[in-house]
Amino acid sequence: MNCCIAGLQWGDEGKGKVVDILAEQSDCVVRYNGGANAGHTVIIGDQRFALHLLPSGAVRPGCRCVIANGVVVDPAVLMEEIRGLQERGISLQGRLFISENAHVVLDYHKLEDRLREEALGKNKIGTTARGIGPCYADKVGRSYAVRMADFRRPEELKEKLRKIISYKNKLFSTLYNAPPLDADAVFEKCMSWRAAVLPCITNTTQLLFEAIDKRQSILFEGAQGSLLDLDHGTFPYVTSSNASPLGLGPGCGIPARYVDRFIGVAKAYSTRVGGGPFPTEQNNEIGQYIREKGHEYGTTTGRPRRCGWFDAVAVSYTVRLGGITEAAMMHLDTLAGLEEVKICRAYRIDGREITFFPGDSRDLETAECVYETMEGWKEDLSEMKHYSDLPASARRYVETVEKHIGIPITMLGVGPQRSQVIYRKPL
Ligand code: IMP
């Protein structure tokens, strides 16, 4: 059974936990998009793992971890995460595979990300400053790109870096008055990672073809959320990869026909980090309540997340976009204690009510939300194990969301632990 897990909102939906649960029955977990901008938190007992680059399956010994060609790899972060897991007794030796075609994030990408955002001032995207956009831009531009395969050819890499950094230095000094970077220092850093990364670099597309032929079970782990998808999200306030399941084919070479289940993960409310339209945002005491109760602060940057009501228009859109067959709703426990809870069922734009997500996200800036308002619940859900344990109003809330998004909600998150999940059907 092959399964793809993707975020249905603007990231941070709790995918890490769902991936971790499903990784138990998977031979292999694959990251196919994004880079160290992701922040997946997995909590097992009293241990908290915050992963940015490694697939969440890394914490499951025995599970093969694949970083496919669609990911942009920051070797500095990679080394740190491997070391962090090793210190907790989890080894990745022999089970981490990185595509030779994955592009490499280097210091000049992170610098460019920061310089560009600073120069944009109030129009900035609000990126994670992890160099993601500049690295993908170099990939598309082709002439100044470094891929993992380049670690195999140090002499060529040295020359390539000299050429790239000479170009970048001209660009950064002209545009941003930035001091020059030293190409040889960047090369030396690459050499310091080389021995550790070389054994992991391989043809991951072929590896996945073979896993499919052997009928192994593969879990594809999407990073970020579908509304941050470069082509189908709220452009330009998006990330630079296809963060919806549409990124699967280009990101790892495996077409959707080999995937049996597409599980979408959404929170019981909405959050977003960085700039961009957010129709259901509650910039008030409701948003504050959700932020504090749900610990809505970024795993990667620590930034407070913007919080708001569940947006069924946006999620119905991402469900269709990703061919999602079932959903996991996380953080249902966070909504406890609110007098009433709301679900956005339509937008009113220029006096017209619509239930589809606008193609030009600028239209969202003036969208008024049409809400379905429901009674809240006071009970703490965190110890509940069965759907029937939930208060009637919480069940009504889940079922109303389900009706709006048109697919079954099969898992409900009621706390951060692996065990705090209510299953509405067997895994
Ligand atoms: P970038 O991916 O760092 O270029 O950031 C672009 C936008 O995507 C910003 O609004 C970020 O806050 C957002 N973003 C990137 N990765 C994540 C994530 O894992 N969770 C939530 N938002 C993210």
Side-chain angles (χ1 to χ4, degrees):
M1 170 82 85
N2 298 331
C3 178
C4 176
I5 294 176
L8 296 175
Q9 295 158 319
W10 283 284
D12 310 315
E13 295 92 346
K15 297 177 292 293
K17 185 162 115 171
V18 179
V19 171
D20 172 57
I21 290 167
L22 282 149
E24 191 172 20
Q25 16 177 290
S26 308
D27 299 297
C28 182
V29 181
V30 184
R31 275 259 333 242
Y32 59 86
N33 78 295
N37 50 347
H40 291 173
T41 312
V42 182
I43 298 178
I44 306 166
D46 57 359
Q47 300 236 51
R48 184 176 182 278
F49 299 88
L51 300 175
H52 300 285
L53 193 55
L54 288 169
S56 302
V59 298
R60 296 273 188 191
C63 187
R64 290 201 293 169
C65 296
V66 176
I67 296 180
N69 59 282
V71 176
V72 288
V73 180
D74 181 338
V77 176
L78 185 72
M79 294 298 123
E80 208 177 288
E81 292 191 354
I82 294 175
R83 206 173 320 117
L85 289 180
Q86 232 156 21
E87 280 163 12
R88 294 164 186 225
I90 300 172
S91 166
L92 279 159
Q93 184 125 35
R95 64 183 184 99
L96 174 63
F97 304 90
I98 306 173
S99 168
E100 50 205 352
N101 293 336
H103 284 245
V104 184
V105 179
L106 293 167
D107 283 348
Y108 51 85
H109 294 122
K110 289 181 258 192
L111 178 64
E112 186 172 355
D113 202 349
R114 195 166 52 73
L115 292 171
R116 200 192 300 175
E117 284 280 274
E118 278 169 14
L120 283 168
K122 69 174 178 38
N123 295 322
K124 69 179 182 189
I125 292 169
T127 71
T128 57
R130 297 292 180 117
I132 306 299
C135 185
Y136 278 116
D138 282 347
K139 171 179 176 173
V140 178
R142 293 152 299 164
S143 316
Y144 298 108
V146 176
R147 295 186 301 166
M148 292 304 292
D150 292 323
F151 280 103
R152 294 189 183 127
R153 301 164 189 246
E155 282 315 307
E156 274 181 43
L157 178 60
K158 191 175 195 170
E159 272 320 296
K160 196 182 243 194
L161 284 173
R162 283 190 176 154
K163 184 181 89 173
I164 295 174
I165 290 174
S166 146
Y167 167 76
K168 299 275 181 192
N169 280 343
K170 281 186 207 133
L171 198 69
F172 298 167
S173 66
T174 312
L175 291 178
Y176 311 112
N177 205 17
L181 288 165
D182 176 8
D184 290 343
V186 177
F187 174 70
E188 285 314 319
K189 265 197 190 174
C190 290
M191 288 304 97
S192 73
W193 300 315
R194 186 166 180 263
V197 295
L198 269 185
C200 306
I201 300 173
T202 190
N203 179 342
T204 53
T205 307
Q206 181 58 23
L207 181 147
L208 292 173
F209 287 163
E210 286 167 15
I212 288 171
D213 291 343
K214 288 185 199 146
R215 304 205 177 286
Q216 291 184 342
S217 145
I218 310 173
L219 188 58
F220 298 95
E221 171 180 358
Q224 290 84 48
S226 303
L227 295 169
L228 289 172
D229 186 286
L230 176 63
D231 288 279
H232 302 281
T234 49
F235 191 89
Y237 297 98
V238 292
T239 190
S240 299
S241 66
N242 287 116
S244 72
L246 295 171
L248 192 64
C252 68
I254 303 301
R257 66 171 279 235
Y258 291 108
V259 181
D260 308 288
R261 282 170 92 184
F262 283 91
I263 304 180
V265 186
K267 278 183 201 163
Y269 46 90
S270 311
T271 64
R272 151 155 233 182
V273 221
F278 183 2
T280 63
E281 181 168 18
Q282 296 300 299
N283 203 355
N284 53 28
E285 68 286 357
I286 301 272
Q288 187 63 17
Y289 181 86
I290 294 175
R291 186 175 310 112
E292 294 313 318
K293 193 139 186 269
H295 310 289
E296 293 296 353
Y297 292 87
T299 317
T300 303
T301 58
R303 290 180 288 180
R305 296 181 183 139
R306 299 159 64 193
C307 301
W309 296 120
F310 188 87
D311 188 338
V313 181
V315 175
S316 312
Y317 164 64
T318 53
V319 160
R320 297 213 64 184
L321 199 62
I324 303 293
T325 46
E326 61 195 282
M329 180 190 267
M330 311 312 280
H331 276 269
L332 186 61
D333 54 309
T334 300
L335 292 182
L338 291 167
E339 259 335 282
E340 46 183 38
V341 284
K342 297 187 182 193
I343 298 166
C344 172
R345 62 162 188 82
Y347 301 141
R348 200 171 294 117
I349 300 176
D350 295 333
R352 199 163 72 95
E353 199 169 298
I354 58 165
T355 51
F356 60 87
F357 199 69
D360 182 345
S361 71
R362 284 174 295 191
D363 293 341
L364 288 174
E365 277 153 21
T366 55
E368 243 179 85
C369 293
V370 182
Y371 287 111
E372 185 156 343
T373 302
M374 311 178 66
E375 187 196 343
W377 58 92
K378 293 204 167 40
E379 295 87 338
D380 173 15
L381 312 184
S382 61
E383 299 298 321
M384 297 185 180
K385 300 271 177 254
H386 306 285
Y387 190 60
S388 54
D389 299 340
L390 292 178
S393 47
R395 275 183 276 137
R396 216 163 2 219
Y397 181 75
V398 172
E399 287 159 32
T400 307
V401 169
E402 209 167 36
K403 178 188 85 189
H404 285 298
I405 66 173
I407 53 164
I409 297 174
T410 54
M411 283 184 221
L412 295 166
V414 290
Q417 296 283 345
R418 199 184 251 176
S419 56
Q420 289 174 299
V421 174
I422 294 176
Y423 296 93
R424 293 177 74 204
K425 76 164 216 206
L427 260 186

